[in-house]
């Protein structure tokens, strides 16, 4: 990693953090409706994984997907418009916060069925292998998915068929509100997968190293890998969550491991950035998010006469 790449990665993490903070604010004002799952605290995982992928690789996400979408390079304008339910959104306003999609970025977003993206990822990887596309299917999922049969099925078939899938488990310890220690007899989740390893998901450099190693292994063998990123969400499961299942003191302890200040300190030590340049980044990002907000506010809603469009195949 050089200075140029380091600055880009910091910019991406800061963009995700400030975008999510603005989304939370807009939700309280009823500008964004439905479900909203924030990615605050987990930025190092999305940014660290995405930098290892190429434009030809395909990404499947979770309902906590804004961070993934931004790290993949999807324009904040169309993400914000989608969350507003506007037609200029990346899914024409029909997907909202939980169903972002951008074919131009090979970003296939979230599946409505819990754990469903695991099976889809294996199918897509098998298709890519047969078509000799030489790309990777990257599938994000949560620790909660590891308790589901779909996880074992996907792991088994991916290994059996030797398909190029990078399974990325974002283990934020609480799923929807049930701690890992209460739902898993073995809490070292890397012991439950095929060709798996674990990494500190709060440390961007470590995530990058693990992601690059996993991608290289997949490319050289054609076989799947599982990466467990042990991370922590600083906010509740969703905006509806009253969060009675974990102590505020514990959350504050994890905030001391915030991936963004950690990486800022690394860049400062390397003399690749100055404190004033960090302030400049913040100002630039604030302007970018305001632009996205203005775009969403000014965008149109889908006309009523088009609401049945895409529901049935047009022959």
């Amino acid at each position: 990693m050089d200075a140029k790449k380091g600055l880009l990665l910091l910019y991406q993490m800061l963009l995700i953090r400030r975008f999510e903070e603005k989304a939370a604010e807009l939700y309280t004002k009823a500008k964004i409706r439905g479900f909203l799952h924030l990615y605050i605290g987990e930025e190092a995982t999305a940014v660290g994984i995405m930098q290892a992928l190429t434009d030809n690789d395909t990404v499947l996400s979770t309902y906590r997907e804004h961070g993934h979408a931004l790290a993949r390079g999807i324009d904040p304008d169309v993400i914000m418009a989608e969350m507003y339910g506007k037609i200029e959104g990346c899914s024409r306003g029909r997907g909202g916060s939980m169903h972002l999609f951008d074919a131009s970025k090979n970003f296939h977003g979230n599946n409505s069925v819990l754990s469903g993206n695991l099976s889809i990822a294996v199918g897509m990887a098998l298709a890519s292998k047969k078509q000799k596309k030489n790309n990777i299917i990257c599938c994000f999922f949560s620790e909660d998915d590891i308790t589901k049969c779909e996880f074992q099925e996907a792991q088994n078939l991916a290994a059996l068929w030797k398909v190029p899938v990078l399974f990325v488990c974002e283990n934020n310890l609480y799923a929807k509100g049930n701690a890992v220690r209460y739902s898993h007899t073995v809490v070292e989740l890397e012991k439950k997968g095929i060709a798996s390893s674990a990494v500190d998901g709060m440390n961007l450099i470590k995530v990058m190293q693990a992601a690059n190693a996993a991608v290289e292994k997949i490319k050289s063998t054609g076989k799947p890998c599982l990466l467990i990123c042990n991370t922590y969400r600083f906010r509740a499961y969703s905006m509806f969550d009253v969060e009675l299942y974990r102590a505020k003191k514990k959350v504050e302890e994890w905030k001391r491991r915030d991936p963004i200040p950690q990486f800022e300190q690394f860049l400062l030590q390397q003399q690749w950035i100055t404190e004033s340049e960090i302030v400049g980044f913040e100002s630039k990002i604030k302007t970018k998010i305001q632009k996205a907000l203005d775009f969403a506010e000014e965008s149109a809603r889908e006309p009523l006469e088009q609401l049945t469009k895409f529901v049935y195949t047009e022959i």
Side-chain angles (χ1 to χ4, degrees):
M1 178 172 61
D2 57 17
K4 183 178 180 181
K5 183 172 183 179
L7 296 180
L8 173 62
L9 297 173
L10 176 60
Y11 178 84
Q12 289 177 330
M13 286 203 295
L14 283 170
L15 176 61
I16 294 170
R17 177 67 60 88
R18 303 306 174 226
F19 185 94
E20 294 292 71
E21 289 171 347
K22 177 57 69 173
E25 175 189 330
L26 294 168
Y27 194 89
T28 63
K29 297 177 180 178
K31 295 288 188 178
I32 296 172
R33 303 189 183 191
F35 286 100
L36 182 67
H37 306 82
L38 301 175
Y39 201 70
I40 295 173
E42 302 184 31
E43 294 88 353
T45 297
V47 173
I49 296 295
M50 294 299 180
Q51 62 79 41
L53 303 176
T54 69
D55 292 342
N56 291 326
D57 296 327
T58 296
V59 177
L60 286 86
S61 186
T62 67
Y63 44 70
R64 200 178 304 281
E65 65 183 327
H66 318 143
H68 303 149
L70 289 166
R72 187 61 174 171
I74 300 177
D75 191 336
D77 291 12
V78 298
I79 296 176
M80 188 67 80
E82 183 61 35
M83 293 165 71
Y84 263 58
K86 300 296 185 68
I87 196 170
E88 282 84 358
C90 56
S91 300
R92 293 177 58 91
R94 295 185 175 217
S97 165
M98 292 176 60
H99 299 285
L100 306 178
F101 178 87
D102 190 332
S104 69
K105 299 292 185 181
N106 280 322
F107 187 85
H108 289 251
N110 174 42
N111 185 273
S112 296
V113 179
L114 186 64
S115 309
N117 58 341
L118 290 161
S119 304
I120 293 172
V122 176
M124 295 178 76
L126 180 61
S128 291
K129 179 180 179 180
K130 289 184 175 293
Q131 294 168 4
K132 296 181 170 50
K133 287 186 175 180
N134 194 33
N135 67 337
I136 289 174
I137 310 300
C138 176
C139 180
F140 288 91
F141 62 100
S142 79
E143 75 283 358
D144 191 34
D145 293 309
I146 293 182
T147 65
K148 309 295 188 295
C149 61
E150 287 86 353
F151 170 76
Q152 296 299 335
E153 291 171 349
Q155 289 277 291
N156 180 59
L157 289 175
L160 182 66
W161 293 337
K162 299 181 177 61
V163 293
V165 184
L166 173 58
F167 293 104
V168 180
C169 174
E170 294 181 307
N171 175 24
N172 61 36
L173 302 181
Y174 285 97
K176 191 174 182 179
N178 193 26
V180 166
R181 65 183 182 276
Y182 297 135
S183 55
H184 292 262
T185 53
V186 178
V187 295
E188 297 87 358
L189 303 183
E190 63 275 13
K191 295 180 179 179
K192 300 187 176 186
I194 298 169
S196 61
S197 59
V199 65
D200 179 3
M202 305 298 281
N203 186 306
L204 176 60
I205 295 174
K206 290 181 179 179
V207 175
M208 288 172 56
Q209 292 170 341
N212 290 334
V215 165
E216 182 58 36
K217 186 174 182 180
I218 293 170
K219 288 183 175 180
S220 63
T221 66
K223 298 178 181 179
C225 281
L226 168 64
L227 184 59
I228 307 292
C229 296
N230 294 312
T231 183
Y232 201 84
R233 52 177 170 78
F234 294 166
R235 300 292 294 261
Y237 167 77
S238 74
M239 295 297 287
F240 287 108
D241 181 11
V242 293
E243 203 175 7
L244 300 177
Y245 47 83
R246 63 182 185 179
K248 291 182 179 179
K249 180 180 178 181
K250 193 67 175 179
V251 178
E252 293 305 314
E253 288 176 4
W254 274 90
K255 284 184 178 180
R256 288 197 283 272
R257 296 175 56 189
D258 192 322
I260 295 177
Q262 276 193 65
F263 194 61
E264 286 177 343
Q265 285 303 309
F266 169 78
L267 295 178
L268 289 166
Q269 290 168 6
Q270 297 295 315
Q271 297 185 336
W272 289 349
I273 199 170
T274 63
E275 294 283 2
S276 62
E277 287 173 325
I278 293 175
V279 173
F281 265 25
E282 292 280 13
S283 177
K284 182 179 179 181
I285 289 168
K286 183 178 180 180
T287 300
K288 193 173 187 68
I289 292 175
Q290 184 59 50
K291 177 176 174 290
L293 178 57
D294 292 341
F295 179 81
E297 290 280 0
E298 295 166 7
S299 295
R301 296 196 181 276
E302 189 168 24
L304 288 175
E305 59 270 20
Q306 292 186 20
L307 290 184
T308 58
K309 192 176 181 179
F310 308 119
V311 175
Y312 297 101
T313 302
E314 296 181 3
I315 300 176

